[in-house]
Each structure stands twice: as structure tokens, then as C-alpha cells.
């Protein structure tokens, strides 16, 4: 069985056995706060263990770094940009899941020397599986997909600014008001990236760049023809030094959003540093 199908089957099995049986059925003691404002559930931990064991059984000899394991031992992120590494986000959108609502998802990425090689993004509720391989394009439920502009008069944007200081957040949203239709963020990168490819959103801005949040999504989007970079315009790299992420369905949409959101008016980054 091809690696694509092996990982897809593993993720679907974990979703069916671990994730969905507890959706809207979590007991209070099955939800913890791992840091201020960040929750973790028994599903995150059990899903990660199952995914870890399943990926290890594939025998690629890759290191395996999961979100919850890295939370407990930050040393696991040392050297994440070297060699072959599996990255696991066992339950993205945990807060949504704990509140009994969508979206939430599961993400796995295979990375080599900081560059994503393959990506899997599963929506357990809808059953939608997005996949990409570097240089081989992107698929959704096995069908090739291409990101494209939805040709909206005003591009639709989801801006993940809630971790910014209030004054900078206000500046970003004031700049966005000059040409973007700002929508509520889904609080789930496993949903944000597919939305860009499938035409539901045009632009997404992220502040945090935890590797399991972006490795799969950035590859899926770029293999579908979209654009995902750090705020300074450099291509996304796991373990790199770039700040933030700006993603868009097309390079033209990315440039229009960059002109609005990354310049001095928004205060995120000096536009002179952006490589065009």
C-alpha cells in the first residue's frame, strides 16, 4: 500500500476509534488546561499515542514529534529542521472540539530538513481528507484540487490576531478594512488551509508558527497553487526563524494582502524586507 494510503487509513482509524466517539461526550475531568488559555483533552493525548505508534510502524526511521509530547518536553523540538521527521497535530481546534462544535481536525506531515514532503489533513466530522506531496500536487478526497480566486469584489480574510497586543491587533484590522472582508477565524488551522484551496476564504493570517499547525497546511496550499510564506516573504520552513504566516489562494491575492497587512500601517513587518 502506498505511504499516502497507509497514513490516510491510520488517521481515519484513529478518528473513528478515538476522536468521534467522544465528540460532545467529554467528561469535565477529561479536559485540562496545559497553559493559560490553552486546553488539552484526553482525545488529544490518546489520538497522538495511536498516531505515533502507527507512524513508527511504517518503518521510515523518521523522528516523530507530536504536539502534546513536545508540550511536555520542549527538547523534542531541538533539531526538528534536520533529517526526516513526522509531525503530528492529533486534534487541531481542541477548544472547538471541547465545546462540542466544528471545526476540528487532525494533521500529519512528513518533513525533511525543514521542508514538508507530504501532508495529510483530516476533518473527522465530514470525513474530508486533504493530501499533498511535494512536486506532485494536492488532492481532496482523492481528487486533484487547484486553489483559485473566487473573484469576490472584496477578498475574504480570516485574521488570526488574537495573540497580538491590543494596539497592534487594532492596527492590523484597521489596515484590513481598506480592502478585505474580515471573517471570524475558525480557530483551527486544519480548517483554515483547506478553506483557501476550496474557495471559502481568500486570505489567512497567523501569528503563531508552531510546526504541527502549518507544515501540512502550507504544503497542501502551495501544491494546490496558492501561496504561504512567513511575514517577511520567505517560504515556510519548519524550525526556521521566520515570524508569522500569511497565506492566500493565489500569489496575486497574497501580494494584495501583504500590501495591506504587512506594511508599516499595520505594523507587523517592514515591507522593504519582503522578497517579492
Amino acid at each position: 500500500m502506498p505511504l499516502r494510503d497507509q497514513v490516510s487509513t491510520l488517521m481515519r482509524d484513529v478518528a473513528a476509534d478515538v476522536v468521534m466517539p467522544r465528540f460532545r461526550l467529554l467528561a469535565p475531568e477529561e479536559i485540562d488546561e496545559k497553559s493559560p488559555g490553552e486546553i488539552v483533552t484526553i482525545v488529544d493525548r490518546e489520538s497522538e499515542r495511536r498516531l505515533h505508534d502507527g507512524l513508527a510502524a511504517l518503518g521510515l526511521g523518521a523522528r516523530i514529534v507530536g504536539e502534546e509530547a513536545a508540550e511536555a518536553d520542549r527538547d523534542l523540538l531541538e533539531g526538528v529542521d534536520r533529517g526526516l521527521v513526522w509531525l503530528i497535530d492529533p486534534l487541531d481546534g481542541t477548544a472547538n472540539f471541547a465545546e462540542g462544535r466544528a471545526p476540528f481536525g487532525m494533521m500529519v506531515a512528513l518533513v525533511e530538513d525543514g521542508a514538508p514532503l507530504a501532508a495529510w489533513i483530516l476533518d473527522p466530522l465530514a470525513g474530508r481528507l486533504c493530501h499533498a506531496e511535494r512536486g506532485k500536487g494536492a488532492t481532496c478526497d482523492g481528487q486533484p484540487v487547484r486553489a483559485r480566486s473566487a473573484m469576490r469584489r472584496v477578498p475574504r480574510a480570516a485574521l488570526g490576531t488574537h495573540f497580538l497586543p491590543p494596539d497592534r491587533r487594532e492596527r492590523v484590522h484597521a489596515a484590513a478594512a481598506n480592502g478585505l472582508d474580515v471573517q471570524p477565524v475558525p480557530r483551527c488551522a486544519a480548517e483554515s488551509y483547506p478553506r483557501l484551496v476550496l474557495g471559502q476564504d481568500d486570505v489567512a493570517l497567523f501569528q503563531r508558527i508552531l510546526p504541527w499547525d502549518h507544515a501540512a497546511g502550507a504544503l497542501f496550499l502551495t501544491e494546490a497553487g496558492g501561496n504561504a510564506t512567513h511575514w517577511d516573504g520567505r517560504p515556510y520552513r519548519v524550525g526556521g526563524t521566520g515570524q508569522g504566516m500569511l497565506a492566500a489562494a493565489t500569489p496575486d491575492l497574497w501580494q494584495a494582502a501583504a500590501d495591506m497587512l504587512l506594511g508599516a500601517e499595520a505594523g507587523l513587518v517592514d515591507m522593504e524586507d519582503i522578497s517579492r
Side-chain angles (χ1 to χ4, degrees), residues 23-270:
F23 183 49
R24 295 178 176 156
L25 294 173
L26 285 174
E29 62 271 17
E30 294 176 327
I31 305 172
D32 296 321
E33 187 176 59
K34 60 183 178 181
S35 62
E38 291 283 336
I39 66 170
V40 62
T41 73
I42 190 173
V43 173
D44 295 79
R45 292 171 173 146
E46 290 190 3
S47 175
E48 183 165 305
R49 281 194 291 269
R50 283 278 303 271
L51 290 168
H52 179 286
D53 292 348
L55 294 173
L58 296 178
L60 294 188
R63 288 178 55 204
I64 303 175
V65 179
E67 177 181 5
E68 305 313 326
E71 179 69 26
D73 181 5
R74 304 303 288 183
D75 288 343
L76 288 176
L77 289 173
E78 182 67 28
V80 73
D81 59 341
R82 298 192 297 272
L84 201 60
V85 180
W86 286 110
L87 290 173
I88 303 172
D89 193 336
L91 183 62
D92 190 52
T94 298
N96 295 337
F97 183 86
E99 293 169 6
R101 62 186 181 86
F104 53 88
M106 302 162 62
M107 294 189 288
V108 170
L110 182 62
V111 177
E112 185 175 40
D113 295 331
L117 294 178
W120 293 259
I121 306 173
L122 176 65
D123 178 340
L125 195 58
R128 182 191 67 203
L129 181 66
C130 300
H131 174 65
E133 294 182 45
R134 191 168 73 190
K136 296 184 179 180
T139 63
C140 184
D141 292 330
Q143 298 302 310
V145 289
R146 293 291 295 175
R148 59 180 60 86
S149 171
M151 303 302 293
R152 298 181 179 91
R153 186 178 61 84
V154 180
R156 184 176 295 165
L159 307 181
T161 58
H162 41 290
F163 293 108
L164 288 173
D167 59 330
R168 295 183 74 193
R169 183 165 59 245
E170 290 174 7
R171 289 176 65 183
V172 170
H173 282 267
N178 292 325
L180 295 174
D181 176 15
V182 178
Q183 301 291 311
V185 296
R187 299 197 301 172
C188 176
E191 176 70 10
S192 293
Y193 282 103
R195 283 188 181 187
L196 295 171
V197 173
L198 301 177
Q200 295 161 280
D201 287 337
D202 299 300
V203 174
L205 180 80
F206 307 89
Q207 180 189 3
R208 300 201 305 178
I209 55 167
L210 298 169
W212 40 80
D213 283 340
H214 298 288
L219 181 65
F220 176 64
L221 175 61
T222 55
E223 284 295 322
N227 198 17
T229 75
H230 291 295
W231 286 347
D232 62 4
R234 285 181 289 171
Y236 172 69
R237 178 177 172 79
V238 173
T241 59
Q243 292 184 327
M245 289 288 289
L246 179 65
T250 69
D252 287 346
L253 283 166
W254 184 94
Q255 189 62 64
D259 290 341
M260 277 182 276
L261 301 176
L262 301 182
E265 184 177 352
L268 288 178
V269 69
D270 187 341

Side-chain angles (χ1 to χ4, degrees), residues 10-21 47 106 122-124:
L10 171 64
M11 293 176 72
R12 289 193 184 279
D13 287 348
V14 175
D17 296 344
V18 178
V19 179
M20 293 311 300
S47 175
M106 302 162 62
L122 176 65
D123 178 340

